[in-house]
Amino acid sequence: MSARLANLRAEEARLREFFDDAENVSEMLAIEQELSRVRGEIESLDAQVKYLERQAAMATVTIELTEDRPVVRPEGESWGFIEAITRGIRGAANVLTFAITLLIAAAPLWITGLVVFFVVRAVIRRRKAKRIAPEAVAPVAPVVDEGGAEDGTEDEETATEVASPRVEE
């Protein structure tokens, strides 16, 4: 504020010089009008500065001094080891409680998911079994001996292989 006030006072001095150098009435009126505006701002800022100075003179300052605490506690007091262990155990219990609560709260979702999984799995297995079943039952041709007898008995030389079902998972 003080800098602004000093600038306005310098502007006022320049305007007074211009006023003295003015040659006609219109220039004098324009300079007088500007001089009046600048003088008003100077008075306004002056009043603000005086008010703030009076307020600062009446202000109450409160100072609180405290002594630094030692880093190491004096003898006879606890170092806090037991409290730290207790807080750690309580924290672990809180985590376990949260996990159990989450498991119970989400039970409808994961139970539904398991039911859907097993139903879909059973349907897929049945479809695979139906696809494999027709292939597994291959028609067996009657065994014919060299002599042309159809007795249904098999020799090692004339044995035919029966298709065995393949199970893929």
Side-chain angles (χ1 to χ4, degrees):
M1 243 186 216
S2 299
R4 189 168 168 208
L5 193 57
N7 286 340
L8 285 172
R9 286 194 176 136
E11 185 178 352
E12 180 186 20
R14 279 194 314 266
L15 286 171
R16 286 190 192 276
E17 289 174 10
F18 290 147
F19 187 75
D20 291 338
D21 293 339
E23 295 180 1
N24 60 26
V25 176
S26 63
E27 287 179 356
M28 291 177 129
L29 287 175
I31 293 171
E32 184 64 33
Q33 185 179 6
E34 185 65 19
L35 192 58
S36 174
R37 183 192 64 79
V38 169
R39 189 70 208 151
E41 285 186 38
I42 288 172
E43 289 174 2
S44 174
L45 279 176
D46 226 1
Q48 286 180 7
V49 167
K50 285 180 184 175
Y51 171 76
L52 290 174
E53 285 174 351
R54 275 185 268 135
Q55 289 295 94
M58 303 295 275
T60 303
V61 178
T62 304
I63 298 175
E64 183 179 334
L65 301 174
T66 58
E67 188 176 324
D68 290 338
R69 298 177 115 192
V71 176
V72 178
R73 292 185 182 179
E75 289 183 32
E77 289 188 29
S78 170
W79 281 83
F81 183 72
I82 301 297
E83 291 88 14
I85 290 175
T86 304
R87 276 188 254 128
I89 291 172
R90 284 185 183 150
N94 287 339
V95 168
L96 186 61
T97 302
F98 174 76
I100 291 172
T101 304
L102 183 65
L103 183 69
I104 291 171
L109 295 174
W110 58 263
I111 289 175
T112 305
L114 283 174
V115 168
V116 168
F117 170 76
F118 284 117
V119 167
V120 169
R121 184 174 158 207
V123 168
I124 290 172
R125 284 188 174 182
R126 282 190 187 141
R127 284 184 181 172
K128 280 185 180 180
K130 284 181 182 177
R131 253 189 273 148
I132 293 173
E135 294 172 4
V137 183
V140 178
V143 179
V144 178
D145 275 344
E146 288 181 14
E150 292 183 15
D151 59 357
T153 59
E154 297 179 358
D155 293 338
E156 287 180 9
E157 298 174 2
T158 60
T160 60
E161 293 182 14
V162 178
S164 61
R166 293 184 206 167
V167 179
E168 296 178 9
E169 291 186 9

